Amino acid sequence: MTSSARRGGTASSFRSLSTAMLKGFVRDRAGLFFVFLFPLMFLVVFGLIFGKEGGTKPKIGVVGDGPVVVALEQSGAVELERLGATDDAVRKVRDGDLPAAVLAHGDTVELRYAASDQTQAGLVRGIVGGVVDKVNIAASGQPPKVRLDSQQVEDSSLKAIQFLTPGLLSWAVSTSAIFGSAVTLVSWRRKQVLRRIRLAPVPVSTVLSSRLLVSMGIAVGQTALFIGVASTPVFGLSLSGQWWLALPLVMLGTLAFFAIGMFAGSFAKTEETATAAANLVVLPMAFLSGTFFPIQNAPGWLQAVSQALPLRHLTDGMLDVMVRGKGIEALAVPAAVLVGFAVVLGAVASRLFRWDDA
Amino acid sequence: MSPIGGADGTIVVADLRKRYGELQAVDGVSFTVAEGEFFGILGPNGAGKTTTLEIVEGLREPDSGSVLLLGEKPWPRNPRLLPRIGVQLQASSFFDKLTAREQLETFAALYGVSRGDAADMLDLVGLADKANTREDKLSGGQRQRLSIACALAHDPDIVFLDEPTAALDPQSRRNLWDVLRVIQQRGKTIVYTTHYLDEAEILCDRVAIMDHGRILAMDSPAKLVRGLDAPTHVMLAEGVLSVEQAETIPGVEGVNADGVSLTLSTRTPAPVLAALAERGALDGLQVRTATLEDVFLHLTGREYRA
Ligand SMILES: Nc1ncnc2c1ncn2[C@@H]1O[C@H](COP(=O)(O)OP(=O)(O)O)[C@@H](O)[C@H]1O
Ligand SMILES: [Mg+2]
């Protein structure tokens, strides 16, 4: 007997298992779609819906002319629609086509607004009121008593793509990691591939870590794709200085969600159950973690719940390093949380590991 | 080489028992297989063949009883033993979306075997021209042969095959027999299960006939059949000979005419055939000796149905 055949060789097992899984993944069209194109569709659709300008400006009708109208135009806070007659403008407001209209004749400025949309009405009243005050002060020739210097905190603009990219990327990475481990584990157990591997001198750790490596490769691919697409002029993502810190974060996120998937996969008997379990974990978590839309406006208790979720910390960390311009210090909390989840769930899942259903 | 195996047998199984709930799937099975032997476990579906084999391979823990393979215990998972056994599971298990060669190379690499050696195995099982075909595009017989190649990729000493010929068409079955014979010629010890008694009779050095979790008989197929002391049936075309004429032939124990053929039973077929030749009554002659199916009938009192 050849002794080389007897030695096993963990390195060669690891390499060949990773290669086998990668080939299987690349040749599976449906899998590729769900891992790459499906989340990208969200990015494209949301990116286009919310447009480049982020929060939309209210559009108000204007009749007549004067210093107030000029000042409104310069404020940039509203969009103006020139209208010919007062009747015309009032009807449009009444019909709900416009939230408000400014009627300027000489020194009188009238504001007609629809109270049906309270938020818009308040916003427009505030803006127009502010502009009128400013014009009055300027006309009085007095210097203003209080000067307001306002600047935006976020980078450049309120562009939706700035928070969509880190959020949706976090969601995409965690979803593929959790499915990658849960469904693979169950499918291999059901199809007896695990039993067959069990008959070879290969440690469980080699089997799992080779799949983890493939998941990490997939996550890197997703990151490159997302950043690449979001950075095109159509979407106009602008990354901040140390955005590449997203990469270690993506790795840690993959690790944590891989462990969660292993945990789910140790209970599920069929791929369908595993898929359902993974969805059950990741979908509510995605909504509560600010991956699709910012969570900052949610009630306090919901925020507290979301602080317990690994995806929340992944998303926060990604936002911090990709668009908020923070440095490596922003990784501390997310890294600790993600590693914590990975270690605890990974340890439990390893104890629950089964080669077969028998 | 280690002194294990040898006179005590490469495989020593003693009094295995396994129960699934109310069902006693394996009920006191013992057997020994010598090095280089082709050993068959036969029996109808549900007899307990797979359960027995999986306990021997170390995939299942028996409720009681013991197994030694090459002097080692297969349960719990024994990494020292694993490289020395090759297993084809009853349900073929492959990686998703890999070609025949890739499947083989992946399994081989799990044992640290190089690619070149693995490729030879495709030749052995006659799949060289299907090397680049995806596993899910292979026919049933080709998939079984690939599965066997994967079991052999690391050149094991003992090969376990669970129903390798089940659900194959006759031609594929015969192709597979040739593969199995080549494996035996390479000096491997083979343990294989089947529910085709005729096939086991042709291939195996020794068989164990199993039913309801027990081994009913164990020996070489020829000895089992001879031990039966069953008559040989000689069949002739109807009208060649009358029943009365047939009964007068010395050695004939019984005659039966069914309208199509005339069947003579005898325990001394040679003189009976000579007498028939003398009378020129050999039209449509067929001779049917006892088979393992008759052995099964004798042992269980019921017709064999796989
Ligand atoms: N995992 C299991 N759980 C419960 N019953 C089983 C299990 N595996 C096999 N059996 C039952 O045990 C009996 C023997 O099965 P098996 O060993 O597969 O027989 P064979 O391989 O001879 O067809 C059958 O009745 C089968 O239904
Ligand atoms: Mg079986």
Side-chain angles (χ1 to χ4, degrees), chain A residues 19 30 58-59 93 95 127 149 182 228 240 244 250-251 254 268 276 307 321 334 339 343:
Chain A
T19 312
K59 186 179 193 180
V93 174
D95 291 351
I127 293 170
D149 178 14
S240 64
W244 46 266
V250 160
M251 297 290 102
T254 303
Q307 288 294 340
V321 299
V339 169
V343 168

Side-chain angles (χ1 to χ4, degrees), chain A residues 1 4-6 8 12-13 16-17 20 23-24 27 188 191-193 195-202 355 358, chain B residues 54 58-60 75 77 82-84 87 89 91 93-94 96-98 102 106-107 109-112 150 155 157:
Chain A
M1 278 300 100
S4 70
R6 298 251 164 99
S12 99
S13 309
S16 74
L17 281 173
K23 281 180 179 163
R27 290 173 192 174
W188 281 19
K191 290 187 192 155
Q192 306 223 25
V193 176
R195 275 187 118 198
R196 184 57 189 79
I197 296 175
R198 182 196 189 284
L199 288 161
V202 181
W355 292 100
Chain B
E54 289 186 348
L59 283 173
R60 281 181 200 277
W75 183 275
R77 194 175 181 230
L82 293 176
R84 304 190 63 186
V87 174
L89 298 170
S93 48
F94 291 111
D96 279 337
K97 304 201 160 46
L98 296 193
E102 287 166 342
T106 305
F107 282 115
L110 299 183
Y111 297 84
C150 290
D155 199 17
D157 299 337

Side-chain angles (χ1 to χ4, degrees), chain A residues 358, chain B residues 20 23 25 44-51 60 90:
Chain B
Y20 295 119
L23 181 86
N45 278 325
K49 305 183 294 293
T50 298
T51 307
R60 281 181 200 277
Q90 179 163 9

Side-chain angles (χ1 to χ4, degrees), chain B residues 14-199:
Chain B
D15 203 25
L16 288 187
R17 282 169 211 277
K18 180 78 182 178
R19 174 181 276 278
Y20 295 119
E22 285 298 289
L23 181 86
Q24 189 71 46
V26 178
D27 193 8
V29 164
S30 307
F31 60 86
T32 307
V33 181
E35 193 179 338
E37 198 173 16
F38 196 141
F39 185 75
I41 301 177
L42 332 178
N45 278 325
K49 305 183 294 293
T50 298
T51 307
T52 303
L53 206 61
E54 289 186 348
I55 293 172
V56 176
E57 295 157 357
L59 283 173
R60 281 181 200 277
E61 187 180 16
D63 295 338
S64 66
S66 71
V67 180
L68 281 182
L69 295 184
L70 303 161
E72 303 246 13
K73 286 196 166 76
W75 183 275
R77 194 175 181 230
N78 184 344
R80 263 196 320 276
L81 189 58
L82 293 176
R84 304 190 63 186
I85 66 174
V87 174
Q88 184 225 3
L89 298 170
Q90 179 163 9
S92 56
S93 48
F94 291 111
F95 293 98
D96 279 337
K97 304 201 160 46
L98 296 193
T99 65
R101 177 186 292 128
E102 287 166 342
Q103 300 281 1
L104 193 56
E105 286 174 355
T106 305
F107 282 115
L110 299 183
Y111 297 84
V113 176
S114 72
R115 285 153 176 267
D117 294 351
D120 291 346
M121 281 301 150
L122 283 181
D123 268 339
L124 173 73
V125 299
L127 280 182
D129 57 330
K130 296 286 175 192
N132 296 319
T133 304
R134 285 246 294 264
E135 165 269 321
D136 51 328
K137 303 278 189 298
L138 295 177
S139 73
Q142 291 166 341
R143 198 171 299 129
Q144 289 287 36
R145 279 185 274 156
L146 177 60
S147 185
I148 293 174
C150 290
L152 295 171
H154 56 289
D155 199 17
D157 299 337
I158 308 177
V159 185
F160 295 97
L161 308 166
D162 197 357
E163 305 237 13
T165 54
L168 295 189
D169 60 80
Q171 185 56 46
S172 307
R173 269 177 76 194
R174 287 201 168 73
N175 290 344
L176 205 55
W177 294 355
D178 294 335
V179 172
L180 298 180
R181 288 201 185 98
V182 172
I183 298 169
Q184 192 191 16
Q185 279 156 21
R186 294 195 170 190
K188 312 282 179 211
T189 304
I190 304 176
V191 179
Y192 121 109
T193 72
T194 185
H195 59 254
Y196 296 119
L197 299 189
D198 53 339
E199 173 181 300

